[in-house]
Amino acid sequence: MIRLDNVSKQNGRQILFIEASAALQRGEKTGLVGPNGAGKSTLFRMITGREPPDEGLVVVDRGVRVGLFGQDVGEMAGRSAVAEVMDGAGDVSAVAAELRELEAAMADPGRADDLDAIVERFGEVLARFEDLGGYALDSRAREVLAGLGFSQEMMEGDVGRLSGGWKMRVALARILLMRPDVMLLDEPSNHLDLESLIWLEGFLAGFEGALLMTSHDREFMNRVVNRVIEIDGGTLTTYAGDYAFYERQRALAEQQQQAQFERQQAMLAKEIAFIERFKARASHAAQVQSRVKKLEKIDRVEPPRRRQTLAFDFLPAPRSGDDVAQLRGVTKRYGSRMVHDGIDLLVRRRERCCVLGVNGAGKSTLLKLVAGATAPDSGTATLGGSVRLGYFAQHAMDLLDGESTVYRWLEDRFPRASQGSLRALAGCFGFPGDDVEKRCRVLSGGEKARLVMAGMLFDPPNFLVLDEPTNHLDMGTKEMLVAALAQYEGTMLFVSHDRHFLAALSNRVLELTPDGIRDYDGGYTEYVARTGQEAPGLRA
């Protein structure tokens, strides 16, 4: 369906592709992986024709419809979420628009003379609309939006009033409803909660076209893709298998290449030693010359490219009292909607509590109540003795000084820290080298989130309250964060849609239900085994 033949592409001084080739066939679900800046988004733009290659060909078979979901959703306002989604449904949405125009024309007295022609055209368009399943379009749009977490009220409301994250879900729903022949999804797992993510996995499993997607969610990638294309050093390498298979094969290939490199280096050292030893002896001149020519003809084996492994040793958290946080009879409502009604909760030292619940159950509100970011309507929310709180929420990014640089912001927070330790911290959270000189006002939402997280964890408090801490983090940064928090000796209360993060760090599960909090000893893995579900209301 899509072929890339010997494609080369350069952006400024950066070479992205060098005679790279790959293909995408119907039914293949392919994960696109590679380090940041390797060219994943550029590849999407070339496939959609928005950007041409410098050399080579990008061939899309005739008649193949390509749908692209990216991180830039554009302007949305003035109509409902349902209408916005249906507008992107491809041919059927254009036919529906013509039907509406013809209906208006038939009711227009000024066009009475053309009525016969209008009625005839209306019949043709109506037949086409029925063939395309137009009457089911509204229900299909609502089904997709419901899967992505929309309530009926949100579906009918003005899409312009939605937050950026919910608008991203609307844009994703447009592509899913469209069901193109080829679906290009750039980070579709961002902005989704766990329930929506699991629903999306099922939807993509039933998609019969070709899929090419990027994602920083390891579990999501593993469950969806059956092929992986890696961009690295300007080349495209295809692996037939899921993401876990790709990781094993890549590691094996690197081991084999390293072994070949070391064997060749040993041979070269031996040959060079012989040449150096006997080059001045006339009796060995022929042998020396023969070995020199041999070395000139050898194809040199390159060592494998070393992928940067992120690691950072965080300072130990000070000890808190045994009772870290407590809610007693807490009630919280927003307008007429009751979110929490008389809940009780005690969080104890060194517990790592993950909070689960259906969309709208009040997960973020619970964290705000514990962190003191919002007050209960009734009841009490208190922190225990010697508790030092660190709260990560999206609004924390708004507190960054736009004129400050990344490094200066960290330096202002930790004036006694060495330059080396602050640069290492910045590098771990995605600001290597000169990136520390970026001003905060030019940072993307994801970069701001990473910077706030870095500032919170450099000198960690003994109680971390984290609301979706892995949003916008790539796999390498997530692995570093998981490894660091695994050694953390404080207490955690967190919400996350990343199942790897949940399974690796939780030792207690709090499930929010209409009847209160269901408390499960053991972590997320034990919760799934005990309940048979990965998220409330969804079967495993």
Side-chain angles (χ1 to χ4, degrees), residues 23-34:
L24 196 63
Q25 304 297 336
R26 180 176 295 279
E28 291 178 339
K29 296 180 172 65
T30 304
L32 183 63
V33 303

Side-chain angles (χ1 to χ4, degrees), residues 7 12 58 124 169 200 214 292 331 409 437 444 485 512:
V7 166
V58 178
E124 295 170 354
R169 296 193 194 201
L200 181 58
T214 65
V292 168
T331 297
W409 186 83
E437 299 304 325
S444 67
L485 292 178
L512 304 186

Side-chain angles (χ1 to χ4, degrees), residues 243-262:
Y243 185 82
F245 175 81
Y246 150 73
E247 282 195 310
R248 292 193 300 270
Q249 290 298 111
R250 188 188 69 184
L252 180 61
E254 287 181 352
Q255 292 173 4
Q256 292 172 341
Q257 187 174 350
Q258 181 67 30
Q260 290 176 350
F261 173 74
E262 291 174 356

